[in-house]
Amino acid sequence: GIQVEQSPPDLILQEGANSTLRCNFSDSVNNLQWFHQNPWGQLINLFYIPSGTKQNGRLSATTVATERYSLLYISSSQTTDSGVYFCAVERGLYNFNKFYFGSGTKLNVKP
Amino acid sequence: GAVVSQHPSRVICKSGTSVKIECRSLDFQATTMFWYRQFPKQSLMLMATSNEGSKATYEQGVEKDKFLINHASLTLSTLTVTSAHPEDSSFYICSARPTGNWENTIYFGEGSWLTVV
């Protein structure tokens, strides 16, 4: 299957700081989503971004499909941003409907 | 936004018994639902893809006779852990893809914590 690597695995920030999370994938994809898993386990959709750039408040994401990576930017971080951020990709054509998850980036924002 | 509800959120069962977890799409129809398992501090592992009206597709290494999946309607998929053992204790989470969703986004349920004693 497709390999999805996320970096860094752990990140500690002071409240108000900015950060960039990276997701590399090993093959072409037709779908890429970023999720935030809160401390209670709930996975929240952040972005559907197979290519291009999107912004939603303090968060933005960019996917460069031709170079097989995606970046998630968090600006002016808040303690509520803490949790694990996952990148998930869906492969095109014959493996449609199968999402592959990265190992996640665990973010801890300190007050 | 699309809402996926999972029930129960927490369940404790005795070893050897079976447990059923439900995954419902509340405000959309889902031809396809997915079941994942997550171990502590690890990523999500896809167990199976559930398709309405047909048999589920299981990932390699997942026992289909142990993890029974039924997708009887466009809004409900169930995962039954049969003859549960302590090693089946885990966080199980489902996701659903809205039918006809041009973005192909998936939405997750709240997850179910299973503890087998």
Side-chain angles (χ1 to χ4, degrees), chain A residues 67-107:
Chain A
E67 297 187 23
R68 299 180 184 170
Y69 74 88
S70 182
L71 302 173
L72 177 68
Y73 306 97
I74 304 174
S75 63
S76 304
S77 58
Q78 301 176 357
T79 56
T80 51
D81 295 332
S82 297
V84 183
Y85 290 80
F86 287 106
C87 162
V89 302
E90 184 175 27
R91 201 169 178 178
L93 299 176
Y94 305 114
N95 277 307
F96 188 70
N97 273 343
K98 185 178 288 191
F99 268 85
Y100 297 88
F101 276 78
S103 53
T105 292
K106 184 176 181 181
L107 174 63

Side-chain angles (χ1 to χ4, degrees), chain A residues 30-31 33 35 37 39-45 48 54 86 88 90 96-104 106, chain B residues 4 32 34 36 38 41-44 46 49 51 59 91 93 97 102-111 113:
Chain A
N30 68 333
N31 186 354
Q33 291 185 237
F35 298 92
Q37 187 171 37
W40 298 271
Q42 175 75 53
L43 277 155
I44 308 298
N45 287 45
Y48 165 83
K54 288 186 178 179
F86 287 106
E90 184 175 27
F96 188 70
N97 273 343
K98 185 178 288 191
F99 268 85
Y100 297 88
F101 276 78
S103 53
K106 184 176 181 181
Chain B
V4 178
T32 303
F34 307 89
Y36 293 84
Q38 187 178 29
K41 299 183 180 181
Q42 293 190 24
S43 186
L44 281 73
L46 179 64
T49 301
N51 297 296
E59 293 301 297
F91 185 60
I93 190 166
R97 183 198 304 277
W102 69 275
E103 275 198 342
N104 290 321
T105 49
I106 59 171
Y107 299 91
F108 281 87
E110 308 95 326
W113 293 95

Side-chain angles (χ1 to χ4, degrees), chain A residues 56-68:
Chain A
N56 184 1
R58 296 181 296 103
L59 302 181
S60 64
T62 295
T63 297
V64 183
T66 53
E67 297 187 23
R68 299 180 184 170

Side-chain angles (χ1 to χ4, degrees), chain B residues 10-45:
Chain B
R10 290 183 180 274
V11 58
I12 301 173
C13 72
K14 291 185 177 181
S15 187
T17 62
S18 296
V19 175
K20 180 184 286 188
I21 301 170
E22 293 187 346
C23 178
R24 292 182 185 273
S25 55
L26 298 186
D27 52 359
F28 64 93
Q29 292 185 331
T31 305
T32 303
M33 292 185 176
F34 307 89
W35 286 96
Y36 293 84
R37 183 173 181 176
Q38 187 178 29
F39 292 102
K41 299 183 180 181
Q42 293 190 24
S43 186
L44 281 73
M45 180 190 77

